[in-house]
Amino acid sequence: MGISKLNPSAGGIPFGDTAGRPTASTGKLYSNGEVGRIELYTSTGWQNIVQETPGIASITGTYLESSGSATVTISGTNFVSGAIVSAIGTNGVEVQATTTTYNSIVQLTAVLSGLNPAYEPFDIKVTNPSNLFGLLP
């Protein structure tokens, strides 16, 4: 018997938009057409089965050269909770943010410290928990 997309009880994966997710139970799969992903329900809620590579479109914020610190807002795509921001100087040394706050799939806020102005300009890197990363030179 073939798998039916229209009849999950026949072995297919239910699909629809985010609001149409089925009753949650651990281990349940769902094809979310709204975000174009297969999701799995875990003890922490609906999760993407495969994370996508984050993309960085822009950064804004304040960099204090005197203290070598910065608070930046990063805009882009495919950010997930647990992502880590870092700055890479012209010397190739990667400085991880002291805090990275997940605001949404398209925005993170990070606090960087210990940036040596001798190694400006800094590239910004976002690494998702899957180890996929995006870089803004």
Side-chain angles (χ1 to χ4, degrees):
M1 175 180 190
I3 295 175
S4 169
K5 293 180 189 175
L6 301 176
N7 185 357
S9 64
I13 297 173
F15 65 95
D17 61 13
T18 301
R21 288 176 175 145
T23 303
S25 61
T26 301
K28 187 168 211 112
L29 291 172
Y30 184 63
S31 177
N32 190 329
E34 184 176 332
V35 293
R37 298 186 180 116
I38 301 290
E39 300 174 328
L40 174 69
Y41 191 80
T42 68
S43 61
T44 59
W46 289 102
Q47 305 292 319
N48 295 333
I49 289 180
V50 178
Q51 290 185 12
E52 296 179 20
T53 303
I56 305 170
S58 65
I59 60 168
T60 58
T62 305
Y63 170 64
L64 301 173
E65 191 171 295
S66 60
S67 65
S69 65
T71 300
V72 295
T73 300
I74 299 135
S75 298
T77 58
N78 302 322
F79 300 148
V80 298
S81 180
I84 299 170
V85 172
S86 48
I88 305 169
T90 56
N91 63 346
V93 173
E94 188 170 330
V95 178
Q96 196 173 78
T98 54
T99 62
T100 300
T101 303
Y102 172 79
N103 301 327
S104 71
I105 193 169
V106 296
Q107 188 180 73
L108 301 169
T109 302
V111 176
L112 295 149
S113 60
L115 302 176
N116 186 332
Y119 302 117
E120 293 179 23
F122 294 96
D123 296 341
I124 298 297
K125 180 179 178 183
V126 172
T127 306
N128 280 344
S130 63
N131 287 324
L132 296 172
F133 67 90
L135 187 68
L136 181 66

